[in-house]
Amino acid sequence: MSECRLKKINRRSFLASPYALWIVGFTILPLIIIFKYALTDGAGAFTWDNLLSIFSDVHIKAFWFSIEIAAGCTIICILLAYPMVLAMKNLGLGRKGLSMFVIILPMWMNFILRILAWQMILSNNGILNFLLGKLGMGPVAIANTPAAIMVGVVYDYLPYMILPIFNAIMDIDEDLIEAARDLGAGGFTVFRRVIFPLSVPGLLSGIVMVFVPSMTSFVVSDILGGGKLQLIGNVIEQEFTVGYNWNVGSGLSVTLMIFVLISMMFTVKQKSEGKESVIW
Amino acid sequence: MSDVILQLDSISKKFDGKDILKDFNLELHRNEFVTLLGPSGCGKSTTLRIIGGFVKPDSGRVLFDGTDITNLPPEKRNVNTVFQKYSLFPHMTVAENIAFGLKLKKKSSKYIADKIDYALKLVNMEGYGGRNPESLSGGQQQRVAIARAIVNEPEILLLDEPLGALDLKLRHDMQRELIKIKKEVGITFLYVTHDQEEALMMSDRILVMNKGIIQQEGSSKSIYDEPQNAFVADFIGESNIIDGIMVKDLLVKIQGVDIPCVDTGFGTNTPVDVVIRPEDLEVVSKEEGFLKGTVTSVIFKGAYYEIKVLSDGYEWMIQSVNPAPVGEVVGLTVLPDNIQIMHKPASDDEEVVRDE
Ligand SMILES: Nc1ncnc2c1ncn2[C@@H]1O[C@H](COP(=O)(O)OP(=O)(O)OP(=O)(O)O)[C@@H](O)[C@H]1O
Ligand SMILES: [Mg+2]
């Protein structure tokens, strides 16, 4: 019997082996390589310099700018997501509704194409200024500004904020909302005291899913920032592709990774501690 | 009458084109315990939800203390609800749940703290204030839900099958406690259940509902003893309901046998429904009985035997402290007092709905 079980386990692990191979080949191995580069200098000797290079003027500036963009993007996404989700809920648009499809649809389009579309809309003689002109308002110079980058990242990552919040809010039992109204809560109070606190797990997932990628993205700032505005992602990219300094590039990547891991651990810890206290 | 606190004035409500409530009228008096009793889907919850403000009637008015509140949203009504599923806020402690309504009313924290203590004591949950609702049993959660509603001092408490999710033993305990709480706080209770025993035990007044209309209204005793139609008779307790003919006053013909009764005013040779409670039938020797039949089964039910006797194609149910020999031919008698004569239903809304 035990032999039989042994066989079963073997068979199972055999079935899992492509997955293990994948993990080793595409996650663990690259990580090891990155760490090796990060902790050595050009000659191959051990050094902390690459990790500490984040504190150089140019890098720390890009790093702060990235945090600003990511934080701004996250906040704007939150402010946009709640009204949209509540509207969808109040209109009785369920999980399978058309509205969900409309939100998910852009995610199926090529990422670069979406950003290029925004470039055309926001450029100085683009669609936005054309429309503003028709309305008799002056042209705005959004292209190649932080605002343009913000528009791009918000557009890109908004669905990742909407989906978890939507799921959390749709999971709230309608009876709870009725109970709140029964006890005297008007529309906004119901949101503040019941819907919002119960949506916090979704909100935290949304924050992780928006903050992290918007912090590390470089394509958006490349295209909409006109290459002049450097996010930490751009710096890393250039260390690899332009400067050919893989050691510094890897060092910055590792620093960024550590920062992201710490902030995620913080969020996840809050999430498991749960409940209202997280935000208040 | 001045002590009418709530009045439903010819309320009608359709869902998906189907009549759920039809020209429905209801009056609640101050400090009364009224029960809406009826089978599943008869519109009990809809009635409560109209009073609570969660459903708008298609026509008719809701009058509270004489004021029309038909269009008032739930949060503005001085009515609170205890839901079947408890619906406690999972992100708040028991005390925070109870404080919810009071905080919205901007009561002082001293007042709120006192009220929480009072309410927890009232529902026998002292010391549970800091617990999470999820860590409580169903019965405890329902107590908290009751406390949460009562602290707001509503004029009417609506209870929609509040004990429906509890097991039998706990139900009985909670029924007694609810009566106690009702006495203590002196609020009007409108209670919904489809459990006739619960209704009979708790209520000052019962409204038996079927298909969106009230079939009968009265005290527990009058509804049990004098059902006005076959639906009520069948729904309230177990009954033998059989076709009969009112030969003349004080005489009814059942299964071809004339039997004396106490009812009058049905005219002569009128087809009627006859109701006899199982405990009112007596098994006697075949010579002594009005009716004769064969004993088909005898089941011991603890406090009594349930005996079935087949007579002329109808199976009579009898509850008796003495068993009867299965297969033997016996006689059945009944006192004139214990025969209920009822008009045949005028519409099919009163049609008997048997054990759903
Ligand atoms: N919002 C709604 N939309 C459509 N139909 C509804 C709605 N609410 C209730 N109904 C229908 O109205 C009828 C009466 O419902 P109601 O909930 O009042 O019954 P009930 O007497 O409370 O039954 P139960 O004992 O099962 O709770 C049912 O047939 C139900 O399907
Ligand atoms: Mg119901």
Side-chain angles (χ1 to χ4, degrees), chain B residues 224-262:
Chain B
Y224 188 82
D225 288 346
E226 295 142 34
Q228 274 163 19
N229 61 38
F231 170 78
V232 178
D234 193 58
F235 193 71
I236 306 285
E238 287 172 301
S239 268
N240 298 291
I241 302 174
I242 190 168
D243 290 334
I245 291 173
M246 203 63 189
V247 181
K248 55 178 190 187
D249 282 355
L250 306 180
L251 198 65
V252 63
K253 191 194 283 280
I254 307 168
Q255 297 188 329
V257 183
D258 286 342
I259 302 177
C261 64
V262 294

Side-chain angles (χ1 to χ4, degrees), chain B residues 87-139:
Chain B
S87 303
L88 298 177
F89 305 120
H91 57 296
M92 299 180 193
T93 63
V94 166
E96 285 167 340
N97 265 280
I98 296 174
F100 190 91
L102 298 174
K103 275 192 189 147
L104 293 177
K105 292 197 185 97
K106 303 263 189 294
K107 300 286 189 193
S108 74
S109 49
K110 170 90 174 68
Y111 177 90
I112 293 177
D114 287 350
K115 269 286 187 187
I116 292 173
D117 284 348
Y118 164 78
L120 284 175
K121 196 179 285 175
L122 185 69
V123 297
N124 247 331
M125 292 279 293
E126 280 164 294
Y128 282 86
R131 292 277 288 271
N132 273 327
E134 275 134 352
S135 71
L136 302 178
S137 71

